[in-house]
Amino acid sequence: MMTRKPFMVLLLALPALAGPQEEISSLLNAFLARVDDPAVHERFWADDLIYVSAAGVVRSKAEILKSMRAGDTPGVRDKNPGEPKTTFSAEEVKVRPLAADVGVLNFRLVQHAGDRTNYFRNSGTFVKRDGRWQVVSWQATREEPDKK
């Protein structure tokens, strides 16, 4: 029994040992997996968020949540029941910790919309408050499709 105790203590401590890179990357993947859930947006975005869309529209967390609850968030909620669900994934994820409670995320967002695939470059600044990471600033830029 004594040999299990140090092992159990280590297992319980692992989440606390994860660095900002792992915590923020994990949060991003969880967000993208359930991006159509307003509760996920509530958790992901900080109350003082400044979000700049790929179209150059500046929005707050309250505006994003209001839009989601109304069902008019472009690219997130499906408009027609017969259309395939739009899904998202992340590539080239890089997290750079700036301090113990600040990290910058850069990644390539992949939007899978039926037979179309769109790409965006996204940057986010995360701040850890009350023991949880949230986004305070976000910038999305649409990549132009290859013209081959």
Side-chain angles (χ1 to χ4, degrees):
M1 192 72 161
M2 287 299 287
T3 58
R4 287 186 183 182
K5 189 172 182 180
F7 180 71
M8 294 301 288
V9 169
L10 179 61
L11 281 178
L12 293 173
L14 282 178
L17 297 175
Q21 294 92 334
E22 293 84 8
E23 292 176 6
I24 292 172
S25 293
S26 177
L27 185 58
L28 171 65
N29 289 324
F31 174 77
L32 294 177
R34 298 189 50 211
V35 73
D36 58 345
D37 181 350
V40 173
H41 285 262
E42 181 71 45
R43 162 65 185 91
F44 193 72
W45 308 118
D47 290 341
D48 55 345
L49 170 73
I50 299 171
Y51 177 99
V52 181
S53 75
V57 177
V58 179
R59 301 174 94 189
S60 67
K61 176 180 179 174
E63 291 168 324
I64 291 170
L65 291 173
K66 180 180 177 185
S67 177
M68 286 200 69
R69 290 184 176 116
D72 61 0
T73 302
V76 175
R77 296 198 180 265
D78 297 317
K79 299 295 181 197
N80 299 316
E83 290 179 9
K85 180 178 165 109
T86 299
T87 61
F88 299 87
S89 61
E91 300 176 345
E92 303 171 24
V93 177
K94 294 179 182 85
V95 177
R96 191 173 75 227
L98 299 181
D101 59 354
V102 178
V104 175
L105 167 72
N106 291 282
F107 70 101
R108 185 181 197 208
L109 177 70
V110 184
Q111 178 190 44
H112 309 276
D115 59 355
R116 286 189 346 245
T117 303
N118 300 304
Y119 300 94
F120 302 83
R121 292 291 175 170
N122 287 307
S123 298
T125 302
F126 286 74
V127 175
K128 192 170 194 177
R129 298 176 179 152
D130 298 323
R132 67 181 196 171
W133 291 99
Q134 286 189 303
V135 179
V136 294
S137 179
W138 195 265
Q139 171 72 52
T141 304
R142 183 182 202 69
E143 285 186 17
E144 290 297 319
D146 288 336
K147 297 181 178 156
K148 295 181 181 179

